[in-house]
Amino acid sequence: FAAVDVMPLLDEDAADAVVINSADLEVTTMRSSGAGGQNVNKVESAVRVKHVPTGIVVRCEDERSQNMNRSIAMTRLKAKLVAVAEEQRAADVAAIRGDAVKAEWGQQIRNYVMHPYKLVKDVRTGVETSDVDGVMGGRLDDFMTEFLRFKQVREAEEAAAISGGGV
């Protein structure tokens, strides 16, 4: 089995833009593995860098020089930190944005009937009104109040289910 870790390839400018405090790093050296003659057994050219705050570990034994391996490991570490920061930012945006709902049949929030009779119905909460013009004009207070009540009940039920109380 093999694990593949896909990271962005940072150019020198992008790598230099990421600043890492040296106090946040644990750098250890070790002997490289694999073919390479007597140098492999005598010289500690492999480098392992751990970013302590995040726990991200990078190991490099590609080159024969410890300095080159350290440089490559730092570039890889910076790439991983950039990827983690982007994932965190995406999670923050998703939390702010809320649930993304597909625009397709069966996914609607409200039904608007304007002919032959007038009715607006919130599918989630069951709130109905015949004041279609008012709703289209922005009078959504009844719908918002009932949705907030609905959401509060749903969150309480989820919390009870998680705590083992059941519903």
Side-chain angles (χ1 to χ4, degrees):
F1 293 99
V4 177
D5 195 9
V6 179
M7 291 283 105
L9 183 60
L10 295 180
D11 58 357
E12 286 299 318
D13 296 334
D16 291 339
V18 178
V19 178
I20 301 174
N21 186 356
S22 60
D24 293 340
L25 299 177
E26 284 182 9
V27 180
T28 53
T29 58
M30 63 216 68
R31 292 182 182 93
S32 294
S33 60
Q38 295 177 357
N39 185 47
V40 172
N41 298 322
K42 295 189 291 186
V43 179
E44 293 192 346
S45 60
V47 176
R48 179 181 169 269
V49 180
K50 178 179 181 180
H51 187 248
V52 176
T54 60
I56 295 174
V57 177
V58 177
R59 179 184 163 124
C60 182
E61 55 181 82
D62 298 347
E63 302 294 328
R64 293 180 62 126
S65 161
Q66 188 182 98
N67 287 336
M68 288 295 295
N69 282 332
R70 183 185 308 260
S71 175
I72 293 169
M74 288 300 294
T75 302
R76 288 180 185 169
L77 178 63
K78 288 176 181 182
K80 284 190 175 202
L81 289 173
V82 166
V84 167
E86 287 177 2
E87 287 175 8
Q88 181 63 41
R89 188 177 90 47
D92 292 344
V93 168
I96 292 169
R97 186 174 187 204
D99 296 335
V101 179
K102 295 178 183 175
E104 57 188 33
W105 289 106
Q107 299 296 321
Q108 67 268 25
I109 295 172
R110 271 185 228 103
N111 293 329
Y112 297 83
V113 179
M114 297 180 195
H115 184 75
Y117 55 93
K118 294 186 175 198
L119 178 70
V120 178
K121 179 176 182 178
D122 189 311
V123 177
R124 302 166 296 179
T125 63
V127 173
E128 296 180 6
T129 183
S130 60
D131 184 16
V132 175
D133 295 329
V135 172
M136 297 299 281
R139 279 186 251 144
L140 299 170
D141 292 340
D142 294 341
F143 293 102
M144 290 188 294
T145 303
E146 192 59 34
F147 175 73
L148 292 173
R149 192 175 295 127
F150 166 78
K151 185 177 175 184
Q152 189 176 26
V153 168
R154 187 175 61 187
E155 288 172 353
E157 290 172 350
E158 289 174 359
I162 290 172
S163 67
V167 179

